Amino acid sequence: MAPKAPNRRPVPPKAAKASTEKRKQDTLRRAKAVIQRRTIYLMLGFGVAAFLALFAKAYDLTINQHDELQARASRQQTSSTTISASRGTIYDRNGVILAKSATADTVFLDPVVIKKQADALDEERAKKVAEGLKEGEKLPVSGEEYKDIIAKKLAEILELEEEAVREKMEKTWSMYETLRTRVDRDIGDEIRAFIADNETGRTIQGIHLSSDAKRYYPYGALASHVIGFLDGDNKGAYGLEAIYEEELQGTKGVEVTAKDANGSQIMFQYEQHYDAEDGNSLQLTLDANIQSYLERGLEDMVSKFGGKYGATGVVMDPRNGAILAIASNPNYDVNEPRQLYTEKFQEELAQVDEEYPPEPGKEHSAEYYDKLAELQKKQWRSKAVNDTYEPGSTFKVLTLAMGLEEGVINLNSNFTCNGGLQVGDRFINCSNKLGHGSQNLKEAVGHSCNPAFMSIGFAVGSNKFYDYLLDFGLQDKTGVDLQGDVGGILIDRDIFVKADIYLATNSFGQTFNVTPLQLITAQSACINGGYLYTPYVVEKELDSDGNVIKQHDATPVRQVISEETSATVRDILEYVVSDGGGRNGQVAGYRIGGKTGTADKTGIKDENGYNEVVVSFMCFAPADDPQVIMLLTLDTPSRFTGTFVSGGNMAAPTASAIMSDILPYLGIAPQYDDEDAGSADSTVPYVVGLTKDEAAAKLTEYGFSAYRTVGGGDTVTDQTPVGGAIVPASAEIILYMGAEKSGEPCTVPNVVGLSASEANKAITNAGLIMKSTGASGTKGIKAISQSLEPEKQVPAGTVVTVQMGQTVQHAD
Amino acid sequence: MTREEYRRLKRMKEKEQRRREREAWEAARGPMDLPFLMLAMMLLGIGLIMLLSASFPSAQADPDVGYDALYYFKRQAGFAGLGVFAMLWMSKINYHRFEGPAKWILRISFVLLVLVLIPGVGITRNHATRWLGIPGVQAGQFQPSEVAKLGIIIYFAQSISSKREKMKTWREGFLPHIVILLAAVLLIGKEPHLSGAILIFGIGAAMMVVGGIHWGWIAAGLASVGTAGYVVLFTDFMEKVVKYNASRITVWRDPFGGTPEFQRDQAWQTIQSLITVGSGGLLGVGLGKSRQKFMFLPEEHNDFIFAVVFEELGLVGATLIMALFAMLIIRGFWLAIHARDRFGSLLVVGVTTQIALQTFLNIAVVTNLIPNTGISLPFFSYGGTALAIQLVEVGIVLSVSRQIKAPKAG
């Protein structure tokens, strides 16, 4: 490049000079060429190679190592302040709060600091004593006094033993002694006030509070197995709290705090502020009232009849699978889930404590804690969802539905029972060993006749039968949004189809296992028109502003039987309650359908050699248009309560009592026929001041037909019950015609075992009013329990509720 | 010839010489090189924006600057304005004017380099004595090493261009230059100012190479620098034999290794720089949105400003800016190749090499490609004097570019 500058001036033609000039030009050119060539190397090196190296390294950092470096960046930028998110609330279907979060304080001591302050006080005191006090000056408290003041006050506020606080304070090697975790905010505030202002005259150092969220369960044990509880880190440990952890917990917020070279923190008003997002709330299908009716019923049943392994109850809306109530007994208080709540468990634990005395210096032995953990897990189990059982006769509803659907039976089918059936090499007994004789389909179901159902099973055929088991969802998990959903345990299909014995026993609900929830789901399908729904408890998910984020979609999984079949099943099951083995399940004023069950646990005997059994009862109402279905089970009731062990005797009356609460609550109006009319409630009119005839007319107008008078006056001066009271219309009203109302209390008579009219007479004679619930009719129906104990003294006119029913001496 | 006549003759000769120079200058005075100017101005503009973004958090938190978020930006912008004027002025000057006083410029540079080392004269900051001026008065303080860089560039350009083929020789080509260069490196290294020493050595060496020293010396130089580099970086020579606390090298090898204390103290700069670069990812967090500049990244508006570029603009943005630098450097060397004479070529080679080396070393430190040497990035890093000098140097390049003959019109 750049050719030599052309020499414009004339050069003298001297060869020597020309050659010198040329040489000079040559060297110049060569020197320039060297510079140019070597500059190109620099250009390539600095302009290309260097940048390629930089790019390669930068690519590695920003792309390959991006995630790791980004994580480090987030960690250091967000390490300082997190803004906690409030956990979502759990509501029942009506908005009643079942679980809610609020701020709470954990209180702990720093014994090291307390000792330091105490020592400083002693020193100061000694100095003051040595120097002598100035006028008006007070001697500071001594170290011991100081500690006493703290211990006393803390013990008082936190409801602890003063000794215990003092003991922790003496652990002067420790800097962290927890006194109580998660106390309410106002208790924390009380302590804060004490720290700042107290009789020692100084701010107390060494008492610390840390705030975090506490979970409150206003109803304690209500629906405990559904709701569950949190672990120590405020994360869901059990129940809905655990399975909806992600939805409930929310997202923590972050405030970026920058550090300067000294490690101190500088806050910037900058966009690096992420708001905490509160957790979503859950609205359940559960109804707190129905749940409490159910739990109370289970409690009653267990206390009356015993129940070695507890009891379960599920109340469901058969029209969509929504669970209105689900309970397992025993339960526990979710506020303190780690305590044991049943005497049996407490005794078991105490026994271990005796067997394995703790090592010195420790509170309990390792075995004790193992046992405690085991019992806690038992207590937390939701039996209705987690545990399977042999359903027994309540399963016959399904066999019935299959038979009708397949057309192998109809209402006119006839079954003969001789007290059992020979299947292969085994003779299988009917529950009634004398046999039921000849019976039509309704009667066979009413009798819960095993041979009849075995023959229905055989008519359906093992392959078809097994298909139905699967279609009813008995093998799969139900898909319910509850913890520990399990599937049933069926006999392997290959084995099942080979031998008749399995089909025979399955037909009446034995030799396979399902959970109560699975069974009620399948039974729902039998009576709701044939649709199998997925049971569920979470209706809606709401964000913190109350907007619905998710809504349960209640589309049926499949239709298992036809509408017609379902209607026939309903009809037959209504017969079972009105005239068959389920009469104890009647509820006055309502059409109830149901089926009892008393299931042997195949091969399991109790310590007295009896078969262990699960008694159960399934019922639904109204029978023609079911809006609610319920299944109760009682696992291994006592044989020594005087009540013959059967579902009809134990579960059905309980179900009747629960249903008589639930149905009016759901707004389903009772309809009384003549026979039942007496048990319908009516409001007593106010008749004081009227003549006897006027009063009688008014009473009739209000539905009261029975009255008697006391005294001989012209006008009514007083009445029992008083005007406005709501009592059964069958009650006898006492009109006092001038006579003094006796203040004497009345004695409750024992009416158990009497017929309805006998019981009413006895109670009326005692000056009380009877309200009868449960079964009606005369054939074998007797009072089986009463709401007030016999011999109890109560005011005149008190209502005694009598549960009517029938005790049969065979299982069902 | 009388003395009178001799003087007159000499004056006439000098006059004639100046006339010829002026004629030549005017004859060749074309337009300055627009691509180089535009690239430099773009980098200056982007650099100012990034300086504003990187510096406002610390300015905002600093009582010394009155919590003025724009403090650094305003100062830098002021110097940039002055520097652009100086650059334009410099581009109008005939660069041959520096040829004569080159020796004097070098002598003055050395006097300043010695002066700064005399106790009580140099100003010490952060354990390094690098500044001259009135203590306590920020304005007017300057680093003799900056002056020395320019001094070496001008002197080497003059000296090498006059030596021509003799550059190949040991006595005239290699020895005098290497002695001057090593003397400057030693003086600057004594301050201590490692990056300054490396830079001045690199510039001098590049000019010697381009100037035509024998290939043998180049090979020997590369071999010795390579060996030294290997021994220092990849062996435990420094710790074991020199007993020098080589924490920078330990950090370079494994920044995230070592104790938490080590990570917090010695490795802090490097770790933070890597986190800043890496968290940008492909597209960055967005201009102005760096989180690392909030006191995590030290020297964020200075030596580590390019880490903020990576974080905010990502690999894509940073690569675009690196591409601008590369184009500037390639254009610089292109101008050197086309310069009218060797003096001009060598001047441009010196200036371009300085920009190239500083850019490479800075970004290499930011990405931990090399150990932390503490070197600023041209046009980006905060520092008024340095920016003004860079722009003056750009002016020199532009001045050279004006004398390139326009390509013959087709």
Side-chain angles (χ1 to χ4, degrees):
Chain A
M1 318 215 65
K4 68 182 169 94
N7 204 338
R8 290 215 172 81
R9 274 185 292 161
V11 179
K14 273 189 193 164
K17 200 159 186 195
S19 83
T20 316
E21 189 70 18
K22 194 166 181 278
R23 256 209 325 277
K24 200 178 159 193
Q25 294 295 340
D26 278 355
T27 50
L28 278 175
R29 205 173 53 234
R30 272 206 299 280
K32 192 148 192 188
V34 167
I35 289 178
Q36 287 169 347
R37 203 168 53 237
R38 292 191 179 179
T39 302
I40 290 177
Y41 299 142
L42 284 190
M43 190 195 262
L44 293 175
F46 283 130
V48 180
F51 283 98
L52 288 179
L54 290 178
F55 178 79
K57 178 75 181 177
Y59 184 89
D60 183 46
L61 290 176
T62 54
I63 308 298
N64 299 343
Q65 296 186 41
H66 172 68
D67 291 344
E68 188 202 329
L69 292 168
Q70 175 67 64
R72 280 178 185 274
S74 311
R75 230 178 298 152
Q76 68 176 21
Q77 288 160 358
T78 62
S79 59
S80 18
T81 326
T82 50
I83 309 156
S84 58
S86 177
R87 196 176 174 87
T89 306
I90 300 178
Y91 301 98
D92 87 338
R93 64 163 49 219
N94 300 314
V96 174
I97 291 169
L98 301 177
K100 188 174 174 57
S101 284
T103 316
D105 290 311
T106 293
V107 187
F108 57 95
L109 287 178
D110 184 342
V112 175
V113 170
I114 290 180
K115 182 174 188 302
K116 232 185 239 171
Q117 213 179 4
D119 290 350
L121 278 166
D122 277 339
E123 214 171 282
E124 199 181 319
R125 197 179 156 95
K127 211 169 128 194
K128 282 268 156 68
V129 169
E131 285 174 0
L133 284 174
K134 289 180 203 127
E135 223 182 275
E137 207 177 14
K138 255 173 51 187
L139 209 56
V141 294
S142 72
E144 282 304 304
E145 281 168 357
Y146 173 79
K147 287 183 187 172
D148 282 340
I149 291 169
I150 296 176
K152 191 168 165 231
K153 187 73 181 177
L154 286 182
E156 181 194 317
I157 298 175
L158 295 173
E159 292 169 5
L160 296 168
E161 292 291 320
E162 198 179 322
E163 288 304 301
V165 179
R166 214 33 228 264
E167 223 167 81
K168 289 200 168 164
M169 215 179 274
E170 295 305 331
K171 294 186 179 173
T172 47
W173 59 89
S174 161
M175 291 165 67
Y176 192 100
E177 286 296 317
T178 307
L179 288 180
R180 273 193 64 187
T181 53
R182 296 190 190 158
V183 295
D184 288 351
R185 192 58 191 242
D186 47 343
I187 294 180
D189 288 340
E190 220 174 307
I191 293 175
R192 284 188 187 89
F194 169 67
I195 290 171
D197 180 24
N198 55 68
E199 48 204 290
T200 65
R202 35 210 87 203
T203 305
I204 295 170
Q205 290 156 4
I207 304 176
H208 300 294
L209 293 114
S210 72
S211 296
D212 70 23
K214 178 179 173 169
R215 196 73 165 157
Y216 291 94
Y217 302 96
Y219 290 92
L222 190 79
S224 51
H225 292 108
V226 174
I227 297 167
F229 52 90
L230 305 183
D231 63 14
D233 299 327
N234 274 331
K235 290 220 158 62
Y238 246 82
L240 289 179
E241 295 276 28
I243 55 178
Y244 283 92
E245 167 66 18
E246 213 167 290
E247 290 83 352
L248 286 166
Q249 85 183 141
T251 320
K252 278 187 177 152
V254 168
E255 232 170 47
V256 174
T257 313
K259 291 179 199 137
D260 68 11
N262 305 321
S264 61
Q265 302 188 330
I266 302 163
M267 192 84 78
F268 286 97
Q269 299 247 314
Y270 194 54
E271 57 189 321
Q272 258 54 55
H273 173 104
Y274 305 95
D275 280 334
E277 236 176 85
D278 287 348
N280 294 335
S281 295
L282 303 179
Q283 178 156 33
L284 307 187
T285 57
L286 291 194
D287 185 310
N289 285 312
I290 298 179
Q291 180 75 27
S292 74
Y293 298 147
L294 176 65
E295 288 185 11
R296 203 172 57 203
L298 292 182
E299 195 72 38
D300 270 1
M301 180 165 71
V302 172
S303 66
K304 241 185 245 170
F305 306 118
K308 194 172 172 188
Y309 306 106
T312 74
V314 185
V315 181
M316 199 153 105
D317 187 336
R319 295 166 298 181
N320 52 24
I323 296 174
L324 299 174
I326 183 165
S328 299
N329 190 287
N331 61 4
Y332 61 98
D333 186 341
V334 267
N335 289 305
E336 299 287 345
R338 280 167 184 82
Q339 273 180 33
L340 296 179
Y341 288 89
T342 45
E343 266 173 48
K344 203 177 119 196
F345 286 178
Q346 287 161 359
E347 275 163 24
E348 273 183 58
L349 190 64
Q351 211 174 336
V352 173
D353 216 11
E354 266 169 44
E355 269 174 53
Y356 300 93
E359 285 169 42
K362 286 188 181 162
E363 233 171 302
H364 296 290
S365 59
E367 286 81 3
Y368 174 92
Y369 290 110
D370 288 347
K371 184 73 186 174
L372 178 63
E374 180 200 319
L375 292 173
Q376 282 172 341
K377 276 197 189 120
K378 258 192 197 170
Q379 166 172 291
W380 297 334
R381 266 189 97 78
S382 177
K383 210 170 147 61
V385 183
N386 306 152
D387 292 345
T388 61
Y389 75 120
E390 286 181 75
S393 301
T394 47
F395 175 82
K396 287 173 183 162
V397 176
L398 275 69
T399 309
L400 173 67
M402 295 176 203
L404 289 168
E405 180 73 9
E406 288 302 309
V408 296
I409 50 168
N410 57 43
L411 283 171
N412 302 320
S413 301
N414 200 282
F415 303 91
T416 308
C417 169
N418 302 318
L421 195 69
Q422 185 72 34
V423 179
D425 55 356
R426 281 183 58 185
F427 185 78
I428 299 173
N429 284 323
C430 185
S431 53
N432 184 350
K433 287 177 186 154
L434 301 173
H436 293 110
S438 175
Q439 45 190 342
N440 67 18
L441 180 61
K442 264 190 182 176
E443 288 164 340
V445 181
H447 294 143
S448 194
C449 176
N450 286 349
F453 275 91
M454 285 188 263
S455 55
I456 297 174
F458 288 136
V460 170
S462 57
N463 257 315
K464 269 269 152 52
F465 188 93
Y466 206 91
D467 284 343
Y468 274 108
L469 290 184
L470 300 183
D471 279 355
F472 276 119
L474 296 184
Q475 186 165 54
D476 306 327
K477 293 178 179 180
T478 59
V480 73
D481 41 1
L482 285 171
Q483 198 173 34
D485 182 25
V486 294
I489 306 163
L490 306 184
I491 296 165
D492 259 11
R493 189 177 193 123
D494 299 341
I495 300 167
F496 184 84
V497 295
K498 268 182 201 145
D500 283 347
I501 183 76
Y502 300 121
L503 177 57
T505 50
N506 270 217
S507 298
F508 57 90
Q510 297 279 172
T511 67
F512 67 96
N513 283 50
V514 294
T515 65
L517 186 62
Q518 275 187 306
L519 185 64
I520 192 174
T521 306
Q523 287 165 335
S524 270
C526 295
I527 57 130
N528 69 2
Y531 302 95
L532 186 76
Y533 288 95
T534 303
Y536 69 101
V537 292
V538 176
E539 181 68 55
K540 287 176 201 165
E541 208 181 303
L542 311 162
D543 71 9
S544 48
D545 299 326
N547 302 315
V548 178
I549 294 174
K550 239 190 241 167
Q551 166 90 45
H552 178 83
D553 169 27
T555 39
V557 181
R558 66 180 85 90
Q559 186 171 14
V560 187
I561 58 169
S562 68
E563 300 264 0
E564 298 76 50
T565 305
S566 179
T568 314
V569 172
R570 285 199 295 268
D571 183 38
I572 295 172
L573 294 180
E574 188 179 3
Y575 170 83
V576 172
V577 173
S578 63
D579 296 282
R583 267 177 286 182
N584 287 347
Q586 290 174 6
V587 179
Y590 291 96
R591 292 174 63 183
I592 308 280
K595 183 72 193 78
T596 56
T598 309
D600 283 336
K601 294 188 182 176
T602 305
I604 300 179
K605 297 205 187 293
D606 69 9
E607 59 274 14
N608 299 317
Y610 290 114
N611 266 333
E612 289 199 338
V613 295
V614 177
V615 300
S616 57
F617 185 65
M618 179 280 289
C619 59
F620 58 92
D624 53 339
D625 173 28
Q627 293 175 34
V628 58
I629 179 169
M630 174 164 74
L631 174 67
L632 300 182
T633 71
L634 175 62
D635 195 344
T636 318
S638 164
R639 300 246 170 208
F640 309 104
T641 58
T643 306
F644 188 86
V645 171
S646 81
N649 292 345
M650 294 171 164
T654 310
S656 162
I658 296 171
M659 274 296 194
S660 60
D661 282 332
I662 293 178
L663 294 173
Y665 172 77
L666 285 179
I668 303 169
Q671 269 152 14
Y672 296 103
D673 53 24
D674 290 344
E675 202 180 334
D676 280 338
S679 52
D681 286 337
S682 233
T683 309
V684 178
Y686 188 76
V687 293
V688 173
L690 303 182
T691 64
K692 188 180 159 190
D693 290 343
E694 283 168 348
K698 191 145 192 192
L699 285 175
T700 314
E701 187 189 325
Y702 277 78
F704 295 95
S705 50
Y707 70 92
R708 67 185 160 101
T709 55
V710 180
D714 293 331
T715 52
V716 180
T717 52
D718 206 349
Q719 66 180 87
T720 296
V722 293
I726 297 169
V727 297
S730 61
E732 190 183 59
I733 313 294
I734 306 165
L735 304 175
Y736 296 92
M737 313 297 285
E740 272 298 302
K741 189 180 194 170
S742 114
E744 294 262 310
C746 304
T747 308
V748 179
N750 184 3
V751 297
V752 173
L754 304 181
S755 72
S757 56
E758 287 166 346
N760 194 23
K761 203 187 234 169
I763 288 174
T764 310
N765 285 343
L768 302 172
I769 296 163
M770 175 174 125
K771 177 175 170 58
S772 88
T773 66
S776 57
T778 47
K779 200 173 70 185
I781 299 292
K782 288 183 173 133
I784 50 176
S785 69
Q786 59 189 74
S787 65
L788 297 173
E789 284 164 45
E791 306 308 322
K792 196 172 176 181
Q793 302 289 315
V794 294
T798 304
V799 176
V800 182
T801 307
V802 179
Q803 179 80 34
M804 301 306 294
Q806 167 192 50
T807 302
V808 287
Q809 294 300 318
H810 56 80
D812 37 28
Chain B
M1 217 190 289
T2 62
R3 265 169 77 175
E4 195 63 24
E5 276 175 335
Y6 177 75
R7 275 189 195 149
R8 200 184 313 141
L9 193 66
K10 197 179 172 191
R11 267 208 302 278
M12 275 179 65
K13 263 189 176 169
E14 281 172 356
K15 213 174 158 190
E16 172 68 13
Q17 169 79 18
R18 279 206 294 277
R19 191 186 60 80
R20 279 217 307 267
E21 265 179 27
R22 197 164 57 239
E23 270 178 5
W25 160 246
E26 271 164 12
R29 194 173 62 177
M32 60 178 134
D33 186 60
L34 266 184
F36 191 79
L37 176 69
M38 292 318 294
L39 285 166
M41 291 300 100
M42 277 165 81
L43 285 167
L44 180 65
I46 296 170
L48 276 173
I49 293 168
M50 291 316 300
L51 178 87
L52 171 61
S53 170
S55 69
F56 82 79
S58 48
Q60 212 172 34
D62 189 355
D64 290 348
V65 304
Y67 304 106
D68 179 5
L70 297 178
Y71 176 82
Y72 295 108
F73 174 72
K74 285 193 290 203
R75 278 181 60 97
Q76 183 87 342
F79 273 103
L82 280 178
V84 168
F85 271 112
M87 174 192 81
L88 293 174
W89 176 67
M90 185 60 76
S91 72
K92 301 273 185 200
I93 292 177
N94 182 358
Y95 61 92
H96 291 100
R97 284 220 182 150
F98 300 122
E99 223 170 343
K103 229 172 231 167
W104 281 105
I105 294 175
L106 185 72
R107 281 173 193 156
I108 292 167
S109 301
F110 268 91
V111 169
L112 292 174
L113 284 180
V114 173
L115 211 55
V116 81
L117 289 179
I118 297 171
V121 178
I123 298 165
T124 306
R125 274 184 231 149
N126 300 332
H127 314 293
T129 313
R130 297 177 184 169
W131 289 267
L132 280 178
I134 306 157
V137 182
Q138 194 83 24
Q141 287 189 8
F142 68 98
Q143 297 191 20
S145 60
E146 296 278 351
V147 178
K149 270 180 230 162
L150 205 54
I152 291 272
I153 290 172
I154 292 173
Y155 175 75
F156 271 32
Q158 186 268 332
S159 163
I160 292 171
S161 64
S162 66
K163 296 266 166 65
R164 289 178 228 160
E165 292 212 310
K166 287 180 198 151
M167 274 308 287
K168 270 192 182 165
T169 61
W170 155 257
R171 275 183 67 92
E172 286 198 48
F174 188 71
L175 192 60
H177 296 109
I178 199 75
V179 166
I180 289 168
L181 195 55
L182 289 179
V185 165
L186 278 177
L187 285 171
I188 294 171
K190 197 109 176 88
E191 289 179 1
H193 190 177
L194 178 63
S195 60
I198 291 175
L199 209 52
I200 211 157
F201 181 80
I203 295 165
M207 291 179 77
M208 285 165 71
V209 166
V210 168
I213 55 167
H214 197 274
W215 274 111
W217 295 116
I218 299 174
L222 282 177
S224 50
V225 168
T227 312
Y230 177 82
V231 168
V232 169
L233 296 181
F234 297 102
T235 65
D236 51 10
F237 177 78
M238 296 299 277
E239 294 102 319
K240 292 282 162 61
V241 183
V242 187
K243 310 278 186 205
Y244 170 77
N245 178 14
S247 63
R248 285 179 182 193
I249 292 157
T250 319
V251 169
W252 171 70
R253 284 180 194 146
D254 183 10
F256 295 107
T259 61
E261 290 74 33
F262 185 80
Q263 291 196 22
R264 201 178 52 226
D265 300 332
Q266 288 96 323
W268 179 255
Q269 279 199 344
T270 302
I271 286 177
Q272 291 306 321
S273 182
L274 285 175
I275 289 176
T276 313
V277 171
S279 58
L282 183 65
L283 296 173
V285 298
L287 182 63
K289 291 183 183 167
S290 160
R291 293 165 207 168
Q292 281 290 102
K293 67 191 178 193
F294 284 89
M295 300 294 172
F296 289 104
L297 183 66
E299 302 280 327
E300 78 286 346
H301 54 278
N302 215 316
D303 292 353
F304 286 95
I305 190 168
F306 210 70
V308 178
V309 172
F310 269 113
E311 191 190 0
E312 296 193 347
L313 307 179
L315 180 64
V316 170
T319 303
L320 282 175
I321 292 173
M322 287 198 286
L324 289 180
F325 269 113
M327 283 154 72
L328 181 84
I329 288 158
I330 289 170
R331 186 70 188 178
F333 285 123
W334 187 90
L335 290 174
I337 290 167
H338 291 83
R340 198 167 88 103
D341 47 31
R342 282 159 301 148
F343 179 63
S345 285
L346 289 164
L347 271 183
V348 176
V349 164
V351 170
T352 310
T353 303
Q354 186 193 335
I355 294 174
L357 258 183
Q358 232 175 305
T359 305
F360 172 75
L361 292 178
N362 178 276
I363 301 177
V365 165
V366 161
T367 54
N368 199 34
L369 188 61
I370 61 166
N372 189 351
T373 54
I375 197 161
S376 61
L377 182 64
F379 307 116
F380 279 66
S381 291
Y382 178 71
T385 327
L387 180 66
I389 290 179
Q390 275 149 22
L391 288 168
V392 165
E393 289 172 346
V394 169
I396 293 175
V397 174
L398 291 174
S399 164
V400 173
S401 78
R402 291 166 80 94
Q403 294 202 31
I404 295 173
K405 284 192 214 91
K408 285 189 191 91

